[in-house]
């Protein structure tokens, strides 16, 4: 089965290894620090990374948090790289996407790093993923901040703006909180209470 949705950017064998090289850039190391510093403060027992790529964040997280971590990506090549680099860590890497999770679990935390901008059906994906949240669970989206002039010039459409994610949260009937740190943005989304519109 092809887990990519029509319009998604696809990563084959070559693209996956190019991405692995990209993860070594200084800006990426700075981004990963931003994400890990945020994630390590969260008290979550069940965690899943959507669009994990080569698994950089779950691997780093598994070394500091004693929790079971799930991670999915639609590219088997990305998953194979992630598995190779995560031996002896408590991470379950598998094929999946923002619209296809072959899991029965529900999660305290669903997060995505530098993947959201690739999703062709962002609103539908948020609604779909919210069904896998435990009560009081949350979705965290980490991206390069489009409102940073430097990042906007360098990364172009591979970014997220505060305005875009606020609109998508409203369309998905979710509460949202935004954290910005220079070149980076984190959107925290939670399901609204059923008695609220």
């Amino acid at each position: 089965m092809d887990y990519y949705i029509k319009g998604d950017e696809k990563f084959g064998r070559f693209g996956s290894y190019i991405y692995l090289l990209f993860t070594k850039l200084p800006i990426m190391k700075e981004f990963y620090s931003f994400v890990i510093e945020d994630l390590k403060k969260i008290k979550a027992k069940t965690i899943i990374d959507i669009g994990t790529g080569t698994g950089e964040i779950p691997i780093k997280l598994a070394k500091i948090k004693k929790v079971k971590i799930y991670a999915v990506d639609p590219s088997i090549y990305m998953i194979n790289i992630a598995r190779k680099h995560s031996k002896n860590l408590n991470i379950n890497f598998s094929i999946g996407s923002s619209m296809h999770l072959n899991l029965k679990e529900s999660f305290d935390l669903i997060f995505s790093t530098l993947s959201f901008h690739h999703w062709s059906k962002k609103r539908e994906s948020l609604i779909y993923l919210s069904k896998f949240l435990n009560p009081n669970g949350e979705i965290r989206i980490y991206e390069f901040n489009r409102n940073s002039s430097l990042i906007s010039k360098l990364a172009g459409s591979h970014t997220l703006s505060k305005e875009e994610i606020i609109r998508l949260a409203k369309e998905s009937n979710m509460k949202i909180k935004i954290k910005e740190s220079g070149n980076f943005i984190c959107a925290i989304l939670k399901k609204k209470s059923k008695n609220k519109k």
Side-chain angles (χ1 to χ4, degrees):
M1 179 178 177
D2 185 356
Y3 285 89
Y4 283 103
I5 301 164
K6 186 177 179 182
D8 287 354
E9 184 176 348
K10 295 186 176 185
F11 287 87
R13 185 189 306 272
F14 180 72
S16 298
Y17 280 99
I18 292 296
Y19 188 86
L20 183 62
L21 293 174
F22 177 67
T23 66
K24 311 303 179 195
L25 294 174
I27 188 71
M28 291 300 292
K29 291 182 178 179
E30 189 181 338
F31 176 76
Y32 293 146
S33 293
F34 166 72
V35 175
I36 290 296
E37 283 304 307
D38 189 55
L39 288 179
K40 73 181 187 182
K41 298 171 190 169
I42 301 169
K43 292 176 179 170
K45 293 181 180 177
T46 50
I47 298 173
I48 187 168
D49 179 14
I50 308 295
T52 192
T54 55
E56 300 294 319
I57 295 297
I59 289 168
K60 291 177 190 309
L61 196 59
K63 291 177 180 177
I64 58 174
K65 277 182 108 54
K66 301 294 181 192
V67 295
K68 178 70 175 181
I69 301 172
Y70 292 80
V72 299
D73 197 275
S75 170
I76 187 61
Y77 303 104
M78 290 285 204
I79 291 296
N80 286 341
I81 292 170
R83 285 177 177 156
K84 183 179 176 183
H85 290 98
S86 64
K87 290 180 179 166
N88 303 318
L89 292 173
N90 195 20
I91 309 171
N92 180 334
F93 285 106
S94 62
I95 300 296
S97 74
S98 63
M99 291 288 287
H100 300 285
L101 293 182
N102 292 323
L103 298 167
K104 294 179 180 176
E105 288 78 2
S106 57
F107 301 93
D108 298 325
L109 173 64
I110 297 172
F111 74 92
S112 182
T113 57
L114 299 183
S115 175
F116 188 75
H117 63 265
H118 291 300
W119 303 356
S120 58
K121 295 187 175 182
K122 293 178 176 67
R123 182 184 67 84
E124 293 88 343
S125 292
L126 289 174
I127 293 167
Y128 173 77
L129 292 173
S130 71
K131 296 173 184 175
F132 290 85
L133 286 174
N134 286 329
N136 300 315
E138 61 187 33
I139 298 172
R140 291 197 176 214
I141 305 293
Y142 298 92
E143 288 282 351
F144 287 129
N145 190 349
R146 192 174 302 155
N147 297 334
S148 161
S149 57
L150 172 64
I151 288 296
S152 188
K153 286 176 185 173
L154 293 175
S157 63
H158 288 64
T159 58
L160 178 66
S161 72
K162 181 164 56 173
E163 296 75 21
E164 179 186 6
I165 192 61
I166 288 172
R167 175 183 58 78
L168 287 165
K170 186 176 181 182
E171 291 174 1
S172 306
N173 198 32
M174 299 185 83
K175 296 184 289 185
I176 186 166
K177 180 180 174 184
I178 304 280
K179 289 184 183 182
E180 292 178 283
S181 178
N183 295 321
F184 315 124
I185 186 168
C186 170
I188 305 160
L189 299 108
K190 292 187 176 185
K191 289 193 280 188
K192 288 183 178 177
S193 301
K194 289 187 178 179
N195 56 353
K196 292 181 182 177
K197 301 222 174 173

